[in-house]
Structures are given as structure tokens and as C-alpha cells.
Amino acid sequence: MKYHIDYSQLIRRLLANIKYYRGAKRITQQAVASHLGISQNAYSKIERGITELTVNKLCHIALFLEVHLYDVLKVEEVKLSASIK
């Protein structure tokens, strides 16, 4: 049996976690963008899922937000669908 993970749902939840922690700490997109060395517009595109988030940027964002990477990656109830082949 093989499982299929809905990666688009997983990414949306991961990005929502980043936005949640950033907002909870009252950190602006501009501040995170400056830390990453990119424009606020470029960072906004990452948070909205328009630009792909790299593992490197994810790690830098978590460090800047002072959040454990595990907490950023933690997503609940990601849909799995099984297929029998």
C-alpha cells in the first residue's frame, strides 16, 4: 500500500504557522525580510505561497522568530490517502 500526502495542504499549514508566530511576536514582514536579505514584497510572496520556501530560508526564519523548527513544522491532520497497487 502506498500513501499520498497532500503536499499543498502541508505547505499551506506550514506557512500559516510562520505567519502565526511572526504575528504573535509582533514582528513585521519587513523585519523578517531584512534578516533574510530580501525585500518585504519577496517575503510576502513566500508567506502567501507564491514563491517556494527553501529549507535554508525556513531555518533562518525560525531562528529569527526564536521558534523551534519543530514548532514551525508541526501540522495537524494532514490528509493521507492510501492507494493499493
Side-chain angles (χ1 to χ4, degrees):
M1 184 177 333
K2 290 187 177 186
Y3 288 94
H4 171 73
I5 298 173
D6 183 351
Y7 286 106
S8 62
Q9 181 184 17
L10 181 71
I11 295 298
R12 281 192 305 274
R13 291 183 183 195
L14 173 104
L15 296 173
N17 286 349
I18 290 171
K19 187 174 181 178
Y20 168 79
Y21 285 114
R22 182 181 59 74
K25 293 178 177 273
R26 300 185 188 272
I27 297 173
T28 64
Q29 286 185 343
Q30 181 60 53
V32 180
S34 293
H35 175 75
L36 296 174
I38 60 176
S39 70
Q40 182 274 328
N41 187 46
Y43 179 75
S44 174
K45 287 179 180 179
I46 290 172
E47 266 194 11
R48 290 182 287 143
I50 295 169
T51 300
E52 188 173 305
L53 175 63
T54 64
V55 173
N56 186 33
K57 279 193 173 66
L58 175 61
C59 291
H60 283 286
I61 291 168
L63 284 170
F64 183 72
L65 296 178
E66 297 179 337
V67 175
H68 289 280
L69 192 56
Y70 172 82
D71 292 326
V72 176
L73 293 171
K74 187 177 176 183
V75 293
E76 302 293 329
E77 300 176 19
V78 174
K79 194 175 195 177
L80 294 175
S81 60
S83 62
I84 301 174
K85 293 200 174 192

